[in-house]
Amino acid sequence: PSPMSMFLSSTRLMGPSIPAWLEETVQKVGDNDPSLKTVDLTHPQIDDVCAKVFASALEENNVVETLILSCYAIVDDGAFAIGSVLGRNTSIQKLQLKDIRNVREITTFFQLLQPNTSITELSLRHCSICPRGAQAIAASLKEHAKLQEFRLTDSQLSGNSLCILCHGFKQSKLQRLYLVNDDLAGAED
């Protein structure tokens, strides 16, 4: 059996079970299935346990080029597991993070993403961004030499987060910036 099969078997015996649809995806990711260029994990059941299992599979993957991840139920441990792997991953070029609502998760993801050298397109969707989260995003953007495009869609910005992001955008090597349908009602000048 493959290392991923053994991992899944031991996870099932020793810990909480993961949904069958995720188990199939994790198996393909762990096996570097060449048909799996895009992974869409926008299911509401992606929690810390699922995130850690997926991160373990992604650790050895060199095929996935696009990752869409709903972080609705992911908190500290899951954000750390996925962020750590994404920081080292060299195959993912497009990353979309959805539903990040907590400054700790934004900070964790973006601090851990800083060493990544392959992401060219980064998108945040349905996120709540406060000034501290904006600082983590801005700092990360400055470090990404290959990042060409950043999208912020259907998100809420509060305090002076828009100013912080704009300053970070100016210091980055971004070629395209998209702010789409964002709620700026809580943002300051």
Side-chain angles (χ1 to χ4, degrees):
S2 73
M4 186 49 57
S5 295
M6 290 175 23
F7 175 78
L8 289 173
S9 296
S10 66
T11 302
R12 212 176 293 121
L13 294 174
M14 295 186 298
S17 64
I18 61 171
W21 61 268
L22 181 59
E23 188 171 330
E24 181 181 333
T25 300
V26 165
Q27 183 67 47
K28 286 181 180 180
V29 169
D31 290 344
N32 279 293
D33 185 328
S35 69
L36 197 61
K37 298 283 186 194
T38 298
V39 175
D40 186 345
L41 295 177
T42 54
H43 200 281
Q45 291 180 340
I46 300 291
D47 59 8
D48 278 357
V49 171
C50 295
K52 287 195 253 184
V53 170
F54 177 74
S56 293
L58 191 60
E59 186 86 48
E60 300 174 25
N61 185 282
N62 56 17
V63 174
V64 174
E65 296 174 356
T66 302
L67 175 61
I68 304 165
L69 177 65
S70 174
C71 303
Y72 184 75
I74 295 175
V75 290
D76 299 331
D77 291 344
F80 185 83
I82 295 229
S84 295
V85 172
L86 290 175
R88 296 185 304 272
N89 186 287
T90 57
S91 65
I92 293 179
Q93 298 166 17
K94 297 178 184 180
L95 175 62
Q96 183 180 96
L97 299 173
K98 299 171 77 174
D99 306 309
I100 302 177
R101 305 271 184 223
N102 187 306
V103 67
R104 286 188 327 265
E105 282 74 55
I106 287 176
T107 303
T108 299
F109 273 120
F110 281 91
Q111 284 176 344
L112 293 169
L113 273 176
Q114 283 185 5
N116 183 290
T117 58
S118 64
I119 295 175
T120 58
E121 293 180 25
L122 179 58
S123 174
L124 294 178
R125 186 174 197 98
H126 302 286
C127 296
S128 295
I129 302 172
C130 69
R132 217 170 92 215
Q135 288 172 344
I137 294 168
S140 182
L141 293 177
K142 287 186 246 179
E143 300 297 321
H144 288 277
K146 289 189 177 182
L147 188 62
Q148 299 170 5
E149 180 176 303
F150 183 82
R151 291 179 184 264
L152 185 61
T153 307
D154 297 323
S155 294
Q156 296 175 334
L157 289 96
S158 63
N160 66 341
S161 55
L162 182 59
C163 290
I164 293 168
L165 287 174
C166 288
H167 185 69
F169 297 148
K170 285 179 16 183
Q171 293 181 337
S172 73
K173 294 182 172 49
L174 284 177
Q175 296 174 7
R176 292 176 301 281
L177 168 65
Y178 299 95
L179 301 174
V180 182
N181 202 33
D182 294 309
D183 180 1
L184 306 176
E188 299 170 355
D189 291 339

